[in-house]
Amino acid sequence: MLKKILSFILLTISVFTVSAQKASIKGFVADTLEKKKLEYSSILLIRSSDSILVKTTRSDKNGKFELKNLSKGDYKILISYPKMADYIRNLRLSDTSNIDLGNINMELKSKVLNEVVIQATKNAVRMKGDTLVFQADSFAVRTNANVQELLKRLPGIDVDKNGVIKAQGKMVKTVLVDGDEFFGDDPLLATKYLKANAVDEIQVYDKKSKNSDLTGIDDGIKNKTINIKLKENAKNGYLSTIDLNSNMENLGDYGGMMGIFKNKLKAAIYGNYSSLNNESRINNSMRKLKGEEYDLIEVGDDGSSIMYVSGGDDDDDYISASGGLPNNLSLGAYYADKFSDNKMGIKLNFKSFDNNNVNHTTTNAQELLPNETKFFSAGKTDNNSSIAGESLKGTYNYTLDPQSNLKISFGLSKNRNESNSVSANETRTGNGFFISKNNQENAGHGNSEIFNGNINWSKRFNKKGRTLSIDLQPQSQTSKSTENSSNLTNYFDSNGNLDRVEDTDLRKKNSGNQNSIGTRINYTDRISKRWTLEAGYSFKTISSGSNRMVFDNIGDNAKKIDSLSNNFKFINFSNVGKMILQYSYDNFSISSGLEATQTNFELKDVDKQTDFQRSYLNLSPRTNIYYKVNAGTTLAINYNGYMQQPSIDQLQPVRQINNPLYQVIGNSALRPSFTNSFGLSYNSFQFKSDQYISAYFNYGFTNNAIVSTELVDEFNKRISSFINVGGNNSISGNLSYSKGFSKSHLRFGVDLGINRSNTLAIINATQNKTASTQYNLRGSLNYYTQKIEFSYIPSASLMTGKSSIGEINDGRSVTHNHEISGTVQLPFKTEFNTSFSLSFRPANAAFGQDINTAIWNSYLSTKVLKSEALEIKLSVTDILNQKIGYNRFVGGNVTSEDTFSYIPRYVLIGLNWNLSGNFIKKTTEK
């Protein structure tokens, strides 16, 4: 007993000793003039030696604040409140300091400025509300550096070799300049072409969604945003670039852009041509220029539930080919301006493109069927494809009064496509006998036209939290295509002898049209101090048609094949009601609601004079819980449920045939599926220690999932359809950690993830349950100074697959990759960069050969002229000539390997002229 008492006394003494070694600061913030307490004043404690933010808090309703558990040292305390002059005081703390500042009386800025002129130096880093502000001049960069190089020096911000930005562990998708888009909001354009010496501040914050910003209802959507605040003499200027790269033979990458920005006016023209897989840097920047920005009321022509998606990021003209030999041309122009004291604004974006691709692919696969039959398939395809078109997008914005706004957006596009392909496929048994052979040739062309628009009126009322928004959306689209398809199919008996030959020659003519009109009304109201209500109604009607005509070209006269042709008319009426309730208290909020979609859908077969009607109710509940633990830590829980109606292709009870060995038949008895999705996320960024931790976990399951069902005969001929089943589910999770060491110029991170899915399919009337799991591990190490940059990113993946009908192999494969890159600044304004991409795919149960590659790229560049505007560059891609166009997959009952065309080792000589400047000369400070 005595021993326990002594232990308790010693423990108590140690606790009090530790507590006594931590200092504290407290006080009250008040208004000097009105003598009232200032609630929610911002209090920041900054270390004097390096201007690092140590701790932050806000005053309570009585103006009281307290900072506890402080270490000894010299500090500055900064207290701010809207319209009040900042209070700044130097403090020195010992281990036992308990400083009471008493009443801190804040002065109005107007009063202070009338009495005295204050000259102050801004801190390198400070918090302004929920915005992290970096003073650009406090971070050293080399002469003529761009904003990307400045961002690399800021704590908590990473910029990779492709210009992708992460802030506090989250990807930055929007970069603004002085609060507005800079030729669109693509991060690459502003950060690459603006000079670091033109920047006053870098502001980092979480931007709410457009709907959340208007209504005040938290929808859980927050995008990490960077705002570049320019110096006064840099707000008006110009930028231009010409980027020429060639191997002096058949490969080249050429681009150019010229733009001006003056106050709210921004105008640019650009163009590029490339025969390389990696696109022009100009095109990467300018292809995201926006003209339309609105939430699209979208209903599928099958009557699927209304969804709200951003229409501003559509990129119909952008194609990222996984392989092949490209030949792409694009031209464009951008214009944006504001008039009448910024009450009126206009934005226009024009694009023209012509993208071509030549690709040779091969496939080898093996599949196990429920009766333990194995099929070995091989095929090759030569494909020529092209898509060209023009698009014009625009927005007109008018501020009717300080609380209401009118916005008209539109989009016009016209596309043309053409393709030619020749393919050969064959299937063998396990003993090597042929089962079937197919040779196919396809040639087709088509065109499409699309118009869409949106008229939005929104108003904020005098009562806080009360808003009203009304949208009207017309849309029209048409399409036409013609295709010739010839097939020669050989079938073999069980001994591999030719049994019969099937020869088809089809001509297909397809046409379609769709016209729709939609409207949406959204209303929010602050019911009480803590409760907010959002209610909305949407309506959309669609009238569309699809006419597919198939003709038999064999013989003297082409005859229409009625069994493969169809002429359908679709009529859809959808009504949507939405109600969401949100409760907020301090740093906690919970919103929950339901969206209900009632749809009447009618499908008319004009040829057969039959009607197919459906009427149903879609329910989409949702709940979002958000808790802000402190300035850098958040916790969120969400649930979403949604119904998915079967598509027209899944319902349509008409045979579709492109290949005699593969046919699709619709199932008109399909029911809608319902998916439940649960998510948990945690994010913590500690600015003081430059440490970031994030974690998320998601679980989802689907009832009445719509899955494929296949009948596979002895010739590997497949008839595919669809059916409802239960049992599909998925789990995913991720844990990330990163930490920076500013004094050592180091940053490291580690990322661990898992993805698991269980899916069902029906093969020859047997249920096949496939379980696929992937484990991912990724690390990163970055070292940076003004002269040297180095990064090492290792990663590894383990994939497993199990099948209930049997397995060809153990379903396991392992890969690991290593990305190593370094850049050195040499004398005479010369830069050397080299990078290694090492990929290792060890042999496994399905493939007995290792696939290891080492891709080594390097460049040497030098900048000339006084402003370093001209860059001369020599680059070599794939020095070791080890690039391969190859992929392989290992599953439970399926394995496959594919090859595709690629561009081997090449050398480019490049000239890049990058000129930017300002119309206003820098003023001389007195």
Side-chain angles (χ1 to χ4, degrees):
M1 184 67 180
L2 180 61
K3 185 177 180 180
K4 291 183 178 180
I5 294 174
L6 290 173
S7 299
F8 175 78
I9 293 173
L10 291 173
L11 178 62
T12 303
I13 293 172
S14 64
V15 169
F16 277 104
T17 301
V18 171
S19 301
Q21 292 177 349
K22 293 295 182 180
S24 66
I25 304 171
K26 63 182 179 179
F28 292 85
V29 185
D31 183 348
T32 302
L33 185 63
E34 299 183 5
K35 304 299 182 183
K36 66 178 183 180
K37 305 300 182 182
L38 296 181
E39 184 181 4
Y40 300 130
S41 297
S42 177
I43 294 92
L44 290 82
L45 188 67
I46 301 167
R47 194 161 57 212
S48 299
S49 59
D50 52 13
S51 299
I52 292 295
L53 178 66
V54 175
K55 188 163 288 191
T56 180
T57 188
R58 290 188 182 274
S59 59
D60 62 17
K61 61 182 180 180
N62 297 317
K64 181 181 178 181
F65 71 90
E66 187 171 5
L67 300 170
K68 298 179 179 180
N69 299 322
L70 304 175
S71 301
K72 68 177 181 180
D74 292 331
Y75 298 92
K76 289 182 180 179
I77 188 168
L78 169 64
I79 303 175
S80 61
Y81 190 84
K83 298 183 180 180
M84 296 289 181
D86 290 345
Y87 174 89
I88 302 176
R89 180 171 173 178
N90 294 320
L91 298 173
R92 173 166 291 181
L93 303 181
S94 65
D95 287 334
T96 58
S97 296
N98 291 295
I99 298 177
D100 186 353
L101 298 177
N103 288 329
I104 300 169
N105 298 318
M106 306 288 283
E107 297 276 4
L108 285 171
K109 288 182 179 180
S110 57
K111 185 173 184 295
V112 172
L113 292 175
N114 284 335
E115 293 175 353
V116 65
V117 176
I118 299 176
Q119 187 174 8
T121 301
K122 293 183 179 179
N123 294 317
V125 184
R126 66 186 190 277
M127 287 294 298
K128 189 176 181 180
D130 292 329
T131 301
L132 188 60
V133 181
F134 299 93
Q135 193 64 31
D137 292 340
S138 300
F139 299 89
V141 293
R142 63 185 181 86
T143 305
N144 295 313
N146 60 15
V147 173
Q148 280 187 15
E149 296 185 48
L150 172 62
L151 293 176
K152 292 178 182 179
R153 304 292 178 260
L154 306 185
I157 297 182
D158 294 323
V159 184
D160 71 9
K161 61 182 180 180
N162 298 315
V164 177
I165 306 169
K166 283 188 176 181
Q168 299 167 10
K170 297 181 181 179
M171 184 175 294
V172 175
K173 296 182 179 180
T174 301
V175 172
L176 305 176
V177 176
D178 288 328
D180 288 328
E181 292 181 358
F182 189 71
F183 304 103
D185 62 357
D186 177 45
L188 183 60
L189 190 65
T191 58
K192 181 172 179 58
Y193 296 113
L194 283 176
K195 297 294 186 182
N197 59 10
V199 179
D200 182 29
E201 293 179 352
I202 299 290
Q203 301 172 344
V204 182
Y205 59 94
D206 288 314
K207 186 178 181 181
K208 298 178 181 178
S209 68
K210 287 177 285 186
N211 185 65
S212 179
D213 189 50
L214 174 67
T215 64
I217 300 287
D218 183 17
D219 54 12
I221 302 174
K222 290 181 174 64
N223 295 317
K224 188 64 70 175
T225 301
I226 287 179
N227 180 41
I228 302 170
K229 188 176 179 182
L230 299 178
K231 297 175 181 176
E232 286 301 321
N233 67 302
K235 293 182 181 294
N236 301 321
Y238 57 90
L239 52 89
S240 61
T241 184
I242 297 177
D243 198 2
L244 308 175
N245 303 274
S246 174
N247 71 341
M248 302 303 176
E249 293 181 1
N250 59 339
L251 296 179
D253 185 16
Y254 315 101
M257 187 268 290
M258 182 170 61
I260 61 171
F261 54 100
K262 187 174 183 180
N263 297 324
K264 299 298 181 179
L265 169 66
K266 296 176 180 68
I269 57 174
Y270 68 95
N272 84 280
Y273 168 80
S274 179
S275 56
L276 298 173
N277 290 101
N278 54 313
E279 290 183 65
S280 165
R281 289 175 288 183
I282 301 298
N283 192 48
N284 270 329
S285 301
M286 303 300 288
R287 71 177 176 82
K288 294 186 177 181
L289 299 182
K290 298 178 181 179
E292 53 174 336
E293 290 182 336
Y294 58 87
D295 291 330
L296 185 64
I297 305 172
E298 189 169 52
V299 181
D301 57 11
D302 56 347
S304 56
S305 60
I306 290 183
M307 298 171 289
Y308 299 96
V309 298
S310 171
D313 290 328
D314 288 345
D315 240 340
D316 299 332
D317 59 341
Y318 175 61
I319 297 176
S320 178
S322 58
L325 310 177
N327 197 309
N328 300 332
L329 173 69
S330 66
L331 302 169
Y334 177 87
Y335 173 81
D337 201 0
K338 292 184 178 181
F339 317 94
S340 303
D341 296 327
N342 295 328
K343 291 182 178 180
M344 188 183 304
I346 189 171
K347 184 187 300 182
L348 294 171
N349 178 26
F350 172 77
K351 297 180 185 177
S352 177
F353 64 95
D354 188 355
N355 297 334
N356 301 270
N357 190 273
V358 176
N359 202 1
H360 174 78
T361 61
T362 68
T363 301
N364 288 281
Q366 58 175 314
E367 179 181 8
L368 177 68
L369 298 180
N371 60 358
E372 297 187 356
T373 299
K374 282 186 181 180
F375 284 153
F376 294 82
S377 302
K380 60 181 180 180
T381 301
D382 288 298
N383 185 68
N384 257 320
S385 64
S386 67
I387 179 171
E390 300 79 36
S391 67
L392 177 65
K393 299 178 181 180
T395 300
Y396 171 79
N397 194 83
Y398 183 65
T399 303
L400 303 171
D401 57 60
Q403 292 180 304
S404 59
N405 187 72
L406 176 67
K407 189 174 186 178
I408 301 173
S409 303
F410 71 90
L412 297 164
S413 67
K414 186 175 183 178
N415 292 345
R416 301 169 297 281
N417 63 81
E418 187 173 347
S419 64
N420 295 276
S421 65
V422 177
S423 61
N425 297 277
E426 60 184 40
T427 303
R428 298 173 182 261
T429 61
N431 55 15
F433 290 151
F434 278 115
I435 297 174
S436 62
K437 285 185 176 182
N438 174 260
N439 292 282
Q440 183 174 348
E441 294 186 18
N442 291 297
H445 59 87
N447 60 76
S448 63
E449 296 181 2
I450 300 175
F451 164 77
N452 53 55
N454 184 74
I455 302 173
N456 170 261
W457 175 78
S458 59
K459 181 175 178 62
R460 299 177 188 269
F461 294 88
N462 291 328
K463 180 183 177 183
K464 186 178 180 181
R466 179 176 292 175
T467 66
L468 179 64
S469 177
I470 300 175
D471 288 272
L472 181 66
Q473 293 183 6
Q475 187 176 38
S476 176
Q477 61 186 50
T478 60
S479 63
K480 291 182 180 180
S481 66
T482 301
E483 181 185 8
N484 289 299
S485 177
S486 61
N487 282 273
L488 179 63
T489 308
N490 297 325
Y491 300 92
F492 300 84
D493 61 21
S494 58
N495 295 317
N497 299 314
L498 183 65
D499 180 65
R500 60 188 173 90
V501 177
E502 184 177 348
D503 190 5
T504 62
D505 189 357
L506 305 177
R507 178 162 53 91
K508 307 171 187 178
K509 295 181 66 176
N510 301 323
S511 62
N513 63 84
Q514 177 176 295
N515 297 287
S516 67
I517 187 75
T519 186
R520 174 173 57 221
I521 301 174
N522 214 59
Y523 174 78
T524 61
D525 202 352
R526 181 74 64 88
I527 302 174
S528 66
K529 183 179 179 180
R530 307 195 191 283
W531 290 93
T532 305
L533 174 70
E534 178 183 2
Y537 167 77
S538 302
F539 167 79
K540 189 165 187 176
T541 179
I542 299 174
S543 176
S544 58
S546 174
N547 190 1
R548 301 177 180 177
M549 301 177 67
V550 181
F551 298 89
D552 187 352
N553 282 337
I554 297 178
D556 296 332
N557 298 317
K559 296 180 181 180
K560 181 182 175 183
I561 305 175
D562 292 334
S563 62
L564 300 180
S565 303
N566 57 75
N567 187 5
F568 284 115
K569 299 293 183 185
F570 316 109
I571 301 174
N572 171 282
F573 295 93
S574 295
N575 295 274
V576 179
K578 178 177 70 172
M579 184 169 290
I580 299 172
L581 197 61
Q582 176 175 280
Y583 173 80
S584 302
Y585 179 75
D586 288 342
N587 294 326
F588 172 82
S589 71
I590 177 171
S591 63
S592 185
L594 177 70
E595 183 174 277
T597 305
Q598 191 278 327
T599 297
N600 294 319
F601 165 63
E602 184 176 5
L603 171 63
K604 293 183 179 181
D605 188 331
V606 178
D607 289 340
K608 298 180 180 179
Q609 297 295 311
T610 59
D611 287 355
F612 174 66
Q613 296 182 349
R614 289 171 69 90
S615 180
Y616 49 81
L617 180 68
N618 279 354
L619 300 176
S620 300
R622 86 174 202 201
T623 297
N624 291 305
I625 301 174
Y626 178 81
Y627 178 59
K628 186 175 181 180
V629 181
N630 53 47
T633 305
T634 61
L635 179 67
I637 303 172
N638 63 74
Y639 163 77
N640 288 283
Y642 56 92
M643 300 181 79
Q644 183 65 47
Q645 296 295 328
S647 68
I648 285 296
D649 290 337
Q650 294 168 337
L651 289 169
Q652 188 171 293
V654 174
R655 280 202 307 156
Q656 304 171 46
I657 183 168
N658 287 314
N659 184 330
L661 293 174
Y662 182 74
Q663 299 180 25
V664 179
I665 298 177
N667 178 6
S668 60
L670 285 175
R671 294 168 292 159
S673 65
F674 191 91
T675 299
N676 299 274
S677 178
F678 302 86
L680 172 66
S681 64
Y682 171 84
N683 288 277
S684 177
F685 176 69
Q686 302 300 324
F687 178 78
K688 177 183 176 182
S689 56
D690 194 5
Q691 176 177 280
Y692 175 74
I693 302 173
S694 75
Y696 76 80
F697 175 81
N698 290 311
Y699 172 69
F701 63 93
T702 302
N703 297 321
N704 291 325
I706 301 173
V707 303
S708 64
T709 172
E710 277 192 328
L711 292 175
V712 185
D713 66 11
E714 68 275 16
F715 299 106
N716 198 20
K717 184 175 182 179
R718 297 166 185 265
I719 300 176
S720 179
S721 188
F722 306 92
I723 194 173
N724 291 105
V725 299
N728 283 4
N729 60 72
S730 63
I731 296 174
S732 63
N734 182 269
L735 176 63
S736 298
Y737 175 81
S738 69
K739 181 172 176 58
F741 300 89
S742 57
K743 292 183 179 180
S744 303
H745 307 288
L746 285 173
R747 169 172 291 278
F748 81 91
V750 63
D751 189 282
L752 178 65
I754 179 174
N755 291 278
R756 179 178 175 84
S757 63
N758 294 294
T759 57
L760 297 176
I762 309 297
I763 302 177
N764 289 351
T766 302
Q767 187 180 86
N768 181 28
K769 184 176 182 179
T770 303
S772 301
T773 307
Q774 180 171 343
Y775 303 93
N776 299 309
L777 177 63
R778 180 181 182 274
S780 65
L781 175 66
N782 294 278
Y783 172 78
Y784 56 88
T785 66
Q786 290 192 31
K787 296 291 184 179
I788 299 175
E789 290 187 21
F790 172 80
S791 69
Y792 172 50
I793 303 175
S795 61
S797 293
L798 169 64
M799 291 163 281
T800 64
K802 299 292 183 181
S803 173
S804 62
I805 65 172
E807 297 169 359
I808 297 176
N809 48 71
D810 62 4
R812 177 177 298 183
S813 64
V814 177
T815 63
H816 58 101
N817 302 283
H818 305 265
E819 301 284 342
I820 305 169
S821 178
T823 302
V824 180
Q825 302 297 327
L826 301 174
F828 307 108
K829 301 178 181 179
T830 301
E831 179 179 285
F832 175 72
N833 171 275
T834 191
S835 64
F836 294 89
S837 180
L838 310 178
S839 175
F840 299 90
R841 284 175 278 187
N844 51 52
F847 301 100
Q849 182 179 2
D850 294 344
I851 301 295
N852 303 325
T853 59
I855 309 301
W856 179 19
N857 303 324
S858 284
Y859 72 78
L860 180 68
S861 69
T862 183
K863 294 183 178 180
V864 297
L865 303 182
K866 183 178 180 181
S867 61
E868 300 183 11
L870 182 63
E871 180 185 32
I872 304 172
K873 187 174 184 180
L874 176 67
S875 62
V876 186
T877 299
D878 192 14
I879 296 174
L880 302 178
N881 203 25
Q882 291 196 10
K883 185 181 293 184
I884 57 173
Y886 178 83
N887 286 317
R888 69 188 188 189
F889 170 78
V890 177
N893 70 314
V894 175
T895 64
S896 66
E897 54 182 344
D898 308 295
T899 67
F900 52 86
S901 300
Y902 65 95
I903 300 174
R905 175 175 53 196
Y906 58 88
V907 179
L908 293 179
I909 299 175
L911 290 176
N912 177 249
W913 183 65
N914 183 10
L915 184 64
S916 62
N918 305 114
F919 298 131
I920 302 176
K921 299 299 182 181
K922 186 174 182 180
T923 57
T924 303
E925 295 181 3
K926 294 182 180 181

